[in-house]
Amino acid sequence: MEKEWETLRAWKERMEQELDRVVAFWMEHSHDQEHGGFFTCLGRDGQVYDNLKYVWLQGRQVWMYCRLYRKFQRFRRSELLDSAKAGGEFLLRYARVAPPDKKCAFVLTQSGLPVKVQRTIFSECFYTMAMNELWRVTGEERYQNEAVEMMDQIIHWVREDSSGLGRPQLPGTPAAESMAVPMMLLNLVEQLGEADEELAGKYAELGDWCAQRILQHVQRDGQAVLENVSEDGKELSGCLGRHQNPGHALEAGWFLLRHALRKGNPELRAHVIEKFLLLSFHSGWDPEHGGLFYFQDADNLCPTQLEWDMKLWWPHSEAMIAFLMGYSDSGDPALLHLFYQVAEYTFRQFRDPEYGEWFGYLNREGKVALTIKGGPFKGCFHVPRCLAMCEEMLGALLSRLASVPAPTCSPPAVPAP
């Protein structure tokens, strides 16, 4: 037990120190003091190489700053909250393409003019997360009103009428469901329902629906987690149907673990650990070079995506969260071993000791393929979220170990006469 304590303590300190370095990088290099919001196209040393602003990443950074401010005493600093509020106000002014309609842009200019719109729900999802966290740290109801109104719009698009997304219903398009949609909605159910009985009750049925839809992606008699299935939960033909995303499966896994904990459902927890954590990891881990493949084909055919064998920052971040959460819930030492395996690879390969933050894109051998620290999809989110959650979970595990009484030598039992 003493050795386990020391290992956990060392990883907690490592997570804490790395989180401080990562947050410092974004605070130094990403803030737009003129217009508000954040630059995310940052080179290795933090230099801005493009001033476009991506709404996903604006919302994520607002959420991240607010979450750190709320959860960690050392981040309860005015400059962090002021930057989050400036980012939130930028979103309120510019994120929606044609107010009062709710559709948000995907890309904005530095000053907030819309450049591109995606026909998905994800800009709106991260907008919702940002507004809810801003409300939690400021108490300003206008942020919460925005969050709830946008959440209800997202639900309408997903479950009632998707025409507002602007995606035409072409006759050759398969009626497919990506795991990303119920995943994001389940995450929003957790976000809005935290310590809020009214909203937790309002979205309880939605949470169960999301969990059921995610579980449909376990296919082939439980031997594969597929990224896309038909709307009635069946495997699709072709590359689309065989497509696997190990990082997404692991992220969905810890979303489902939190759902199982809320529901008090140990059977669901065991199923999620077996299928979304262990199965996805063992099929997705590169036995030759280490690290998680970005994409895979369920029949071991060559995936069509050129980047399929690259190692990206975010699947490894999600794997660390998933395995540490699984161990915290179940106590299975095999999950703790996998956490150590992923964490050691990730800190060794992705971390930049010279300039801070993590590289995002490695080749199969684990060498840096792109030196950028941020871009259209990598911002202040997956890395600090992982570090913060792991620091919290490791702290809780250490507290639990500290409360376990040390074993004592009992006198030998006296035989009964």
Side-chain angles (χ1 to χ4, degrees):
M1 182 169 291
E2 183 177 348
K3 183 179 180 182
E4 181 181 347
W5 166 277
E6 288 300 324
T7 305
L8 291 171
R9 184 183 60 80
W11 271 109
K12 180 181 181 296
E13 290 180 359
R14 209 169 171 188
M15 295 290 175
E16 182 176 340
Q17 292 166 5
E18 191 64 17
L19 179 59
D20 289 349
R21 293 179 76 249
V22 167
V23 173
F25 180 92
W26 291 100
M27 291 190 70
E28 180 179 356
H29 300 297
S30 71
H31 297 178
D32 183 351
Q33 304 295 346
E34 181 180 0
H35 297 283
F38 310 102
F39 301 116
T40 61
C41 294
L42 305 179
R44 182 184 179 188
D45 61 357
Q47 180 180 358
V48 178
Y49 63 84
D50 196 326
N51 60 18
L52 290 175
K53 293 177 177 173
Y54 295 83
V55 171
W56 286 29
L57 303 184
Q58 302 299 306
R60 285 171 164 181
Q61 192 157 347
V62 170
W63 179 89
M64 193 72 249
Y65 278 8
C66 290
R67 180 59 64 104
L68 291 170
Y69 183 90
R70 185 161 67 92
K71 293 281 190 175
F72 295 85
Q73 184 62 42
R74 70 183 188 275
F75 288 117
R76 198 156 293 170
R77 308 197 300 262
S78 59
E79 61 266 32
L80 198 71
L81 181 57
D82 289 345
S83 298
K85 290 167 67 175
E89 293 301 320
F90 182 84
L91 284 170
L92 282 171
R93 286 195 301 271
Y94 302 119
R96 286 182 288 163
V97 178
D101 289 348
K102 298 296 184 183
K103 193 74 190 81
C104 290
F106 174 64
V107 187
L108 303 169
T109 65
Q110 181 181 357
S111 62
L113 298 176
V115 175
K116 179 180 178 181
V117 175
Q118 285 185 322
R119 296 165 179 175
T120 65
I121 62 169
F122 303 118
S123 290
E124 295 78 14
C125 288
F126 295 116
Y127 179 96
T128 301
M129 288 173 60
M131 293 301 145
N132 181 255
E133 273 295 323
L134 271 170
W135 166 70
R136 291 179 185 277
V137 296
T138 66
E140 294 187 35
E141 289 295 330
R142 62 194 179 100
Y143 294 132
Q144 179 69 336
N145 292 338
E146 280 290 322
V148 174
E149 288 177 13
M150 187 64 83
M151 178 67 167
D152 291 343
Q153 177 64 75
I154 294 167
I155 296 168
H156 175 78
W157 283 329
V158 172
R159 301 189 69 179
E160 298 176 32
D161 181 7
S162 64
S163 61
L165 296 174
R167 188 167 55 238
Q169 299 298 313
L170 300 175
T173 303
E177 180 184 87
S178 165
M179 191 159 60
V181 171
M183 273 179 62
M184 273 304 310
L185 279 178
L186 185 60
N187 189 46
L188 289 178
V189 168
E190 166 78 16
Q191 173 72 39
L192 272 67
E194 180 190 345
D196 190 323
E197 291 186 8
E198 181 180 350
L199 286 184
K202 176 179 179 180
Y203 299 126
E205 182 275 334
L206 175 65
D208 292 337
W209 179 86
C210 291
Q212 184 270 329
R213 303 295 287 194
I214 298 169
L215 291 169
Q216 288 187 153
H217 289 260
V218 179
Q219 294 285 324
R220 302 191 174 193
D221 296 323
Q223 298 307 303
V225 179
L226 303 178
E227 182 71 8
N228 305 291
V229 295
S230 69
E231 289 184 336
D232 59 352
K234 300 295 192 300
E235 182 173 342
L236 297 163
S237 63
C239 296
L240 181 69
R242 298 193 306 270
H243 181 58
Q244 292 181 289
N245 184 332
H248 242 174
L250 287 158
E251 186 177 15
W254 69 261
F255 289 179
L256 286 169
L257 284 178
R258 292 196 304 188
H259 180 73
L261 182 64
R262 288 197 304 274
K263 304 293 287 187
N265 189 337
E267 292 81 12
L268 176 60
R269 181 188 69 190
H271 178 73
V272 169
I273 288 174
E274 179 185 355
K275 303 303 180 185
F276 286 85
L277 273 59
L278 295 174
L279 176 64
S280 298
F281 175 81
H282 289 305
S283 66
W285 187 259
D286 182 349
E288 183 176 355
H289 299 286
L292 289 162
F293 289 117
Y294 192 28
F295 297 132
Q296 291 184 288
D297 183 283
D299 286 339
N300 292 318
L301 300 173
C302 182
T304 57
Q305 296 87 357
L306 301 180
E307 71 275 27
W308 73 269
D309 66 347
M310 291 182 71
K311 314 295 169 58
L312 270 65
W313 82 104
W314 70 264
H316 297 80
S317 299
E318 302 311 314
M320 282 193 280
I321 296 171
F323 287 125
L324 195 54
M325 186 180 295
Y327 173 71
S328 299
D329 289 349
S330 71
D332 183 351
L335 298 173
L336 184 60
H337 173 77
L338 291 174
F339 163 75
Y340 291 147
Q341 180 179 336
V342 176
E344 286 163 3
Y345 174 89
T346 303
F347 272 69
R348 182 176 66 249
Q349 302 300 134
F350 287 95
R351 181 177 180 271
D352 182 357
E354 185 173 355
Y355 291 102
E357 241 289 341
W358 291 5
F359 299 111
Y361 304 88
L362 311 180
N363 65 15
R364 181 176 179 181
E365 290 75 26
K367 297 178 180 178
V368 176
L370 300 175
T371 60
I372 60 173
K373 295 295 176 53
F377 295 99
K378 184 179 186 294
C380 182
F381 184 62
H382 284 100
V383 175
R385 180 176 72 167
C386 167
L387 297 169
M389 291 183 68
C390 288
E391 180 185 333
E392 287 185 303
M393 288 188 284
L394 288 164
L397 284 169
L398 289 167
S399 297
R400 276 160 47 184
L401 281 176
S403 67
V404 176
T408 58
C409 295
S410 303
V414 178

